[in-house]
Amino acid sequence: LIAGVAPAAAADWVITPYAGLNWGSKVTFNDAALSYDDEFKSRINFGAGTAWLTGPFAVEFDFGYLPDFFGDRKADDDFEFGPSYLLTLMANVGYTPRFRIAGLRPYAAGGFGVIQTHIEDEFDLFTVKSTNAAFNVGGGAEWPLGPKYGIRGDVRYFRTVQEKLPAQEVDVAIGSLSFWRVTGGLTIKF
């Protein structure tokens, strides 16, 4: 009789504040007349994820803040964007297999959300304020430090799926945007 009784379902809430770098940033800008591509150097990013874990599956919400994302162009010309930032807000599903590799718990995750960009032009010639639908996919591993804490490393690829056109002739909009993000953080379970 005892063997036939199913164990009670257990679920945990997890919060992971993180910091990291982005790389491979490629952006297509649309203005009133044409489109042009640009690439940007790596920048530091910050954020946090919160997840609801039940067994090997998870539902996760991830918020990322990338200050001065458009600060260093790879082009050799003298053009520079003004102050900028990029925000990501994603709803993901994840899967963590039951096995471990050298004590690490690997996982995979992916989902959809939005990427919001904001660029201020120093000379007030144009504005870039855009919110584009986007997806992310990736994975990582967690190294448990006990029942409540762990260290998590994560690699994700982000890409917009919605092209925007400028609202006014002097504005610029994001046509497409993609980048990789690697982060590390402390996982806290409740």
Side-chain angles (χ1 to χ4, degrees):
L1 188 62
I2 293 174
V5 176
D12 292 316
W13 281 98
V14 177
I15 295 176
T16 307
Y18 60 77
L21 288 172
N22 67 286
W23 80 92
S25 305
K26 297 179 182 177
V27 182
T28 299
F29 292 98
N30 292 332
D31 65 17
L34 52 96
S35 297
Y36 55 96
D37 296 326
D38 216 337
E39 294 184 18
F40 298 88
K41 296 180 182 177
S42 297
R43 306 299 285 180
I44 294 175
N45 61 72
F46 308 94
T50 184
W52 181 67
L53 308 173
T54 178
F57 299 100
V59 175
E60 174 191 58
F61 297 96
D62 181 272
F63 170 78
Y65 174 64
L66 294 86
D68 205 24
F69 183 86
F70 303 95
D72 282 331
R73 297 173 63 238
K74 288 190 175 180
D76 290 335
D77 58 25
D78 291 333
F79 179 78
E80 292 183 12
F81 289 101
S84 65
Y85 64 84
L86 185 141
L87 298 173
T88 61
L89 182 59
M90 298 285 160
N92 299 313
V93 293
Y95 177 74
T96 303
R98 299 217 182 259
F99 63 85
R100 293 185 184 198
I101 301 171
L104 298 173
R105 286 194 299 230
Y107 65 89
F112 292 93
V114 295
I115 294 178
Q116 184 180 62
T117 55
H118 180 87
I119 303 173
E120 295 177 20
D121 174 41
E122 295 180 88
F123 306 107
D124 206 25
L125 298 175
F126 64 88
T127 60
V128 180
K129 291 181 183 176
S130 186
T131 302
N132 300 62
F135 74 91
N136 76 106
V137 62
E142 181 184 342
W143 182 29
L145 299 175
K148 297 285 183 187
Y149 301 98
I151 296 174
R152 181 176 175 177
D154 188 275
V155 177
R156 305 261 175 131
Y157 175 72
F158 291 80
R159 184 175 182 91
T160 59
V161 294
Q162 177 187 22
E163 183 171 353
K164 294 282 191 166
L165 297 173
Q168 301 174 21
E169 284 189 19
V170 295
D171 287 343
V172 178
I174 301 293
S176 68
L177 181 144
S178 64
F179 65 94
W180 287 88
R181 182 188 78 185
V182 61
T183 60
L186 176 66
T187 298
I188 306 164
K189 294 182 182 175
F190 296 95

